[in-house]
Amino acid sequence: MGEAYTPGLKVKKSLIVRRTRKLPIKGEILVNAGDNVHSDTTVARTHVPGDLQIVRVAQILGIELEDTEKYMVHKTGDHVKENEVIAKSTSFFGLFKTFARSPVEGTIEHISNVTGQVIIREPPIPVEVKAYIPGTVVNVFPEEGVTIETPAAFIQGIFGIGGETEGELLMVADSPEDALTADLIKPDYKGKILIGGSLVTGDALRKAVEMGVQGVIVGGIDDKDLVNFLGYEIGVAITGHEDVGITLILTEGFGKMHMSRRTFALLKSFEGKQASISGATQIRAGVIRPEIIIPLEGKEVRRVREEEEILSKGLEPGTRIRVIREPHFGALGRVVSLPVELQRVETESYVRVLEAKLEKQPPDAKPVVIPRANVEIIEE
């Protein structure tokens, strides 16, 4: 058996999940507040400037730096194709010609008679942001992004690799103790998210990629198998950007780790349902855990919204709370005030917050500001 991690991860049958989807730079928002979106709906898009390429024209043509512009075939702002001539020189009465060509397709951004260089900007790179979860747009940040919410079952893992994806949940293990091996992966599992028990082998991961499986949720993995699968040692600081063709979520830790029976039972109860998952993990400040989000339907949606309303009413000055996210993870305290205005937090999204006095704070310390979504009410 491997080493278990500190407990405290969320395993919730129902709650309101909110996710803010942001562009890397300002762009266009494609949805409005109140719109219902699917997980694959494009909610925002932009164009990231292309890379710069430098062509040493004066050096290539063998001319003086200050004469660079005179020998250009194109001017600033012109669009050029890959390998197209952008400058040329002739010698010996036109018998010999020398050419400078563009290494890429792009636009001439600058011609310098000081350095003898020409700068070409590659075409802009389109970037689209998907909703990731199906739900309702509840907040729009002009030119930046949106917040989407949905009633869902929610499970956090301890570690993961691979980015955001979605698929139908499929139980491959009969119990939390079962290992997920290569012989259990079948061709008709393409597009599925497989749920194993205590362990997934390296061979099973490779076969899952080959079969087109979207994700694997399992208790643990041998760290050597993970390194061999990735082809390199993985750091524990930040994951989620690995281009490995699959998303892996560990619910317990490294080694052969029996999946929590509560987690296994909850996943089994949603077999056949669509789920959105992410393997992104950040262990240091601003902890991010891999997650499994299973949108709810029908009566479950109404019940969760009713519970949410009750809980929101229960938050008032004096309410005892526990903080469930960093930087005050696990701290107990009491609500001091509930500001009405939305406030900007570290993630750069605007959220409702509360001010709380934490038990570990000195008596004369000021209350801390915490997003309301980052606390849970402790019944007294």
Side-chain angles (χ1 to χ4, degrees), residues 65 69 104 116 142 201 219 227 241 261 276 299 317 321 324 326 339 365 367:
L65 300 181
E69 199 163 6
V104 294
T201 65
V227 170
H241 300 287
R261 291 194 176 276
S276 298
K299 294 180 180 178
I321 59 167
I324 58 175
E326 295 293 346

Side-chain angles (χ1 to χ4, degrees), residues 51-199:
D51 292 337
L52 294 174
Q53 299 290 335
I54 297 175
V55 184
R56 295 180 173 83
V57 169
Q59 180 180 332
I60 293 170
L61 299 185
I63 60 176
E64 297 296 328
L65 300 181
E66 59 268 22
D67 292 333
T68 301
E69 199 163 6
K70 295 179 184 179
Y71 287 86
M72 291 294 298
V73 174
H74 290 281
K75 61 182 183 298
T76 300
D78 283 358
H79 181 269
V80 294
K81 297 180 179 179
E82 183 179 355
N83 207 39
E84 184 175 346
V85 174
I86 60 173
K88 66 178 181 180
S89 66
T90 59
S91 57
F92 292 103
F93 306 102
L95 294 177
F96 298 99
K97 296 180 181 179
T98 306
F99 302 100
R101 300 178 182 272
S102 174
V104 294
E105 179 182 358
T107 302
I108 296 177
E109 193 163 285
H110 184 65
I111 301 169
S112 175
N113 284 332
V114 176
T115 64
Q117 297 176 344
V118 173
I119 298 175
I120 299 174
R121 172 82 66 177
E122 293 186 47
I125 303 165
V127 174
E128 293 186 341
V129 174
K130 303 288 186 180
Y132 172 48
I133 58 173
T136 304
V137 178
V138 294
N139 242 329
V140 174
F141 310 106
E143 300 183 314
E144 294 183 6
V146 301
T147 297
I148 300 164
E149 75 169 30
T150 189
F154 181 73
I155 299 170
Q156 286 182 317
I158 194 72
F159 184 81
I161 59 169
E164 299 170 352
T165 190
E166 64 170 334
E168 180 184 319
L169 295 175
L170 177 67
M171 300 298 298
V172 183
D174 293 324
S175 78
E177 294 82 18
D178 292 343
L180 178 53
T181 53
D183 59 294
L184 298 174
I185 312 288
K186 301 177 182 178
D188 58 353
Y189 289 174
K190 181 178 180 179
K192 309 289 188 184
I193 297 173
L194 308 184
I195 302 166
S198 60
L199 182 80

Side-chain angles (χ1 to χ4, degrees), residues 2 9 16 53 59 84 273 330 353:
L9 301 177
I16 299 295
Q53 299 290 335
Q59 180 180 332
E84 184 175 346
K273 300 292 186 182
V353 301

Side-chain angles (χ1 to χ4, degrees), residues 20 139 341-345 347 349-353 371-372:
T20 296
N139 242 329
E341 302 82 8
L342 296 176
Q343 293 192 25
R344 194 169 187 169
V345 294
T347 60
S349 60
Y350 288 85
V351 299
R352 296 199 181 280
V353 301
R372 296 187 194 183

